[in-house]
Amino acid sequence: MTASLSRRRVLLGGAGLIGVGASGSALAQSTWPDRPVRLVVGFTAGSATDVTGRIFAQRFSEAWGQPVVVENVAGNSGAIGVDRVAKSAPDGYTLMWAASAALTLLPNLQRLPFDPVKDLAPIHLAFAMPSLFVSTRDFPPRTIQEWVAYAKANPGKVSYGTPGVGTPQHAAGEMFCSQAGIKMEHIP
């Protein structure tokens, strides 16, 4: 394992770790991993982050010849899982499959028990997930323009749901409200 990787915690954001292993780096030339690797997912089982983490964990297991065990540590929009990784042994055997919010948004919204810049070492961005704007079929507006007009005409009666405070969906919802000049109630 490289000196910098052995001293720093590891944050896993995607498939780039396989690229590092296949590129002939010092990490790939070491005996790592010579035991199971733990992949912490900061959200509940069945969430999009969990499903993608499990797909990558299977691929990592195949590529590395060692089990990659997924551990769901949900709560505080992923921050509880990130904290667990930040406090783990700095040996590369505890990785994080994280949504970016716990590292980019939450530190600006609340005091966290970890510093994402000092306590973690990013490895790779795996992918970006689009956000969708949907409502029930019975809701009268059919276009975004109609929806904004409805929200303006009915202040305080429109809400939007997200996976939690400080998630990318929450930030997108608040940015949308600001740009559209409307107020919606956030339902985490």
Side-chain angles (χ1 to χ4, degrees):
M1 190 177 312
T2 64
S4 64
L5 193 58
S6 65
R7 285 194 306 265
R8 297 186 69 191
R9 271 53 169 194
V10 178
L11 167 73
L12 177 60
L17 203 57
I18 289 176
V20 170
S23 69
S25 71
L27 181 61
Q29 295 168 5
S30 74
T31 59
W32 184 92
D34 61 2
R35 59 185 166 95
V37 174
R38 183 170 57 142
L39 182 64
V40 175
V41 174
F43 291 89
T44 58
S47 66
T49 305
D50 174 66
V51 171
T52 56
R54 289 178 186 279
I55 291 168
F56 278 89
Q58 180 181 349
R59 297 299 191 308
F60 293 149
S61 289
E62 294 165 3
W64 298 337
Q66 288 291 337
V68 176
V69 180
V70 174
E71 179 182 345
N72 295 91
V73 183
N76 195 17
S77 301
I80 295 173
V82 175
D83 185 49
R84 170 127 356 132
V85 173
K87 292 177 177 155
S88 69
D91 58 8
Y93 285 89
T94 301
L95 305 175
M96 181 80 203
W97 188 262
S100 62
L103 308 170
T104 58
L105 297 174
L106 283 179
N108 296 297
L109 298 174
Q110 61 181 275
R111 188 176 187 76
L112 296 171
F114 60 87
D115 181 327
V117 175
K118 293 178 183 174
D119 297 336
L120 302 163
I123 295 174
H124 191 72
L125 176 66
F127 53 86
M129 283 196 259
S131 292
L132 301 175
F133 192 93
V134 298
S135 68
T136 65
R137 289 185 184 270
D138 298 336
F139 196 59
R142 292 288 171 226
T143 67
I144 197 73
Q145 293 83 359
E146 290 175 3
W147 201 91
V148 168
Y150 181 89
K152 285 181 177 180
N154 296 280
K157 295 183 180 178
V158 180
S159 61
Y160 71 101
T162 71
V165 174
T167 60
Q169 295 86 347
H170 180 208
E174 291 302 314
M175 193 167 21
F176 176 77
C177 287
S178 175
Q179 291 174 352
I182 59 175
K183 180 75 177 145
M184 292 190 291
E185 181 182 359
H186 175 227
I187 308 294

